[in-house]
Amino acid sequence: MECSSRLRVRHAIVALSIALVGCGTDEPTTSPAPTSVGSTPSAAALRVGMLPQLAGTPYTEALRRGAEEAARELGVELRFDAPARPLPELQTAILDEWVGRGIDAVAVAPNDPFVLAPAFVRSTNRGVSMLSFDADASPTGSRRLRFVSPATETEVARLLVDSLIDATQGVGEVVIVTGAAEAPNRNAWTFRIQRLLESSHPKIRLLDTIITDENAERTREETESILRKRPDLAAVISLGETTLPVVARTVRDAGLRGKVFVSGVGLPSTVSEFVADGTIRSFVSWNPVDLGYLAVHAAKAAREGSLKSGPSTFGRLTAIQVTDDEIILGSPIRFGRDNAGPPPY
């Protein structure tokens, strides 16, 4: 498969770009306004950190709202921050700083499951309770306690493939647009989409995966390029809430609405206009406010040793499935014209 080789070489490209981060640039490395909230926490209050993949996106802000809600409810002190670019080394720097300041529990959405693993281990050795959320860390290499998952990777991939087949009748060329090269959630969705198409839909040809590093201009340019090069392109699947609206706008501006099917993982609040005009027939999502809320509850429970396998309640969230390895928010939702929004996320 062409896209698998593209994903392998991207790791070296990301590593080279990381080496340039400290070379005289004034670009910020974290979000401009990290927060620390709680219900008037005392000096002895539990200190919980949440570290998403990228600052300044609607998805991250929705996570923040849920995390702050849980922190106030639980009376914990919350530290919330994210890197300005989706680079694991920038996440490592934030995490190391928190650990040096005496944080108790942290939930991290890794931009690379393996680069972040040593930082997880260092934190664990310092007594910090470490969880991954949204995107998983290496389960063995990181020694994380649980993965707080928005939905199973297989469910997300299956909904996307079902939407694709409905729109194309199982025939044509398809390209995947994704963000960070080593983001474990996006790579897992890509892998499962590949396998589902290979096993059940041989008339779909999956082209090279386009990696845009969550950059809107690069996403637009790469999408315009593939539309020019592949005049018979049947569909674009965008695996990320920052790239899906850019892909949809680019397809619409090219006059290909209704000809090139657009789908992916996104937020109702950012793509509702494209669903309304038919550029996006359907897409997959979940509630990131609930995910941020669940991650803070899970971090506190992990710290206190109260996580148990089976259906569990975390504040206002009930019947949350907990296993020895994962805490699953629920099933993904397939949105379309009938249920595209506007929800509060």
Side-chain angles (χ1 to χ4, degrees):
M1 183 67 63
E2 296 175 16
C3 60
S4 61
S5 61
R6 179 73 176 271
L7 287 172
R8 285 195 297 269
V9 301
R10 286 293 295 158
H11 189 83
I13 297 172
V14 171
L16 178 60
S17 68
I18 289 165
L20 301 177
V21 170
C23 299
T25 178
D26 292 328
E27 180 178 343
T29 58
T30 64
S31 72
T35 59
S36 181
V37 303
S39 298
T40 317
S42 68
L46 193 71
R47 292 157 294 187
V48 174
M50 175 172 283
L51 181 51
Q53 291 178 322
L54 183 64
T57 73
Y59 187 83
T60 297
E61 291 310 304
L63 290 171
R64 184 198 297 265
R65 293 201 305 273
E68 292 178 348
E69 177 191 351
R72 289 189 293 268
E73 180 179 295
L74 296 170
V76 303
E77 182 180 344
L78 174 68
R79 185 69 177 173
F80 188 103
D81 205 353
R85 290 195 288 164
L87 300 178
E89 278 72 7
L90 301 183
Q91 289 184 303
T92 295
I94 296 170
L95 179 57
D96 286 343
E97 179 188 358
W98 285 352
V99 173
R101 293 176 179 272
I103 205 152
D104 298 303
V106 179
V108 182
N111 279 308
D112 186 303
F114 303 106
V115 173
L116 263 293
F120 270 71
V121 173
R122 286 196 303 274
S123 302
T124 299
N125 289 342
R126 293 281 297 272
V128 181
S129 299
M130 295 298 300
L131 288 81
S132 58
F133 84 100
D134 200 23
D136 200 7
S138 170
T140 54
S142 69
R143 290 165 48 190
R144 55 98 172 124
L145 297 174
R146 294 290 206 293
F147 169 39
V148 184
S149 174
T152 70
E153 295 157 352
T154 299
E155 284 184 302
V156 172
R158 188 171 298 281
L159 283 183
L160 290 171
V161 169
D162 288 349
S163 299
L164 173 65
I165 301 308
D166 289 347
T168 65
Q169 288 75 54
V171 178
E173 295 180 336
V174 178
V175 67
I176 292 175
V177 176
T178 188
E182 302 301 332
N185 48 351
R186 288 151 174 78
N187 287 351
W189 299 331
T190 300
F191 175 79
R192 282 162 175 77
I193 290 170
Q194 290 173 356
R195 293 298 174 262
L196 287 170
L197 292 176
E198 288 172 352
S199 64
S200 303
H201 306 286
K203 293 184 180 180
I204 290 285
R205 184 185 176 207
L206 193 57
L207 305 177
D208 276 353
T209 296
I210 297 173
I211 300 169
T212 66
D213 296 326
E214 311 287 354
N215 182 280
E217 184 61 22
R218 191 173 306 157
T219 299
R220 182 189 62 78
E221 291 173 353
E222 293 280 7
T223 304
E224 287 179 343
S225 176
I226 197 69
L227 293 174
R228 287 194 303 269
K229 292 176 182 177
R230 299 285 183 174
D232 296 324
L233 189 71
V236 182
I237 298 176
S238 176
L239 301 181
E241 77 285 344
T242 62
T243 56
L244 181 56
V246 179
V247 168
R249 186 177 300 279
T250 304
V251 169
R252 186 177 68 184
D253 290 349
L256 296 173
R257 179 176 59 196
K259 180 180 178 182
V260 176
F261 171 70
V262 179
S263 185
V265 175
L267 289 181
S269 60
T270 65
V271 301
S272 58
E273 68 170 287
F274 304 109
V275 175
D277 69 15
T279 306
I280 296 176
R281 190 178 301 182
S282 65
F283 67 100
V284 175
S285 191
W286 48 83
N287 189 334
V289 176
D290 286 352
L291 182 61
Y293 178 89
L294 176 60
V296 170
H297 268 272
K300 181 176 185 290
R303 181 66 179 179
E304 295 173 346
S306 60
L307 286 174
K308 300 184 185 303
S309 296
S312 302
T313 295
F314 296 88
R316 59 177 172 77
L317 300 177
T318 60
I320 299 296
Q321 186 61 41
V322 179
T323 72
D324 290 340
D325 190 59
E326 290 186 323
I327 302 169
I328 303 172
L329 176 63
S331 295
I333 304 167
R334 181 175 168 178
F335 285 91
R337 281 192 175 183
D338 294 336
N339 64 340
Y345 61 92

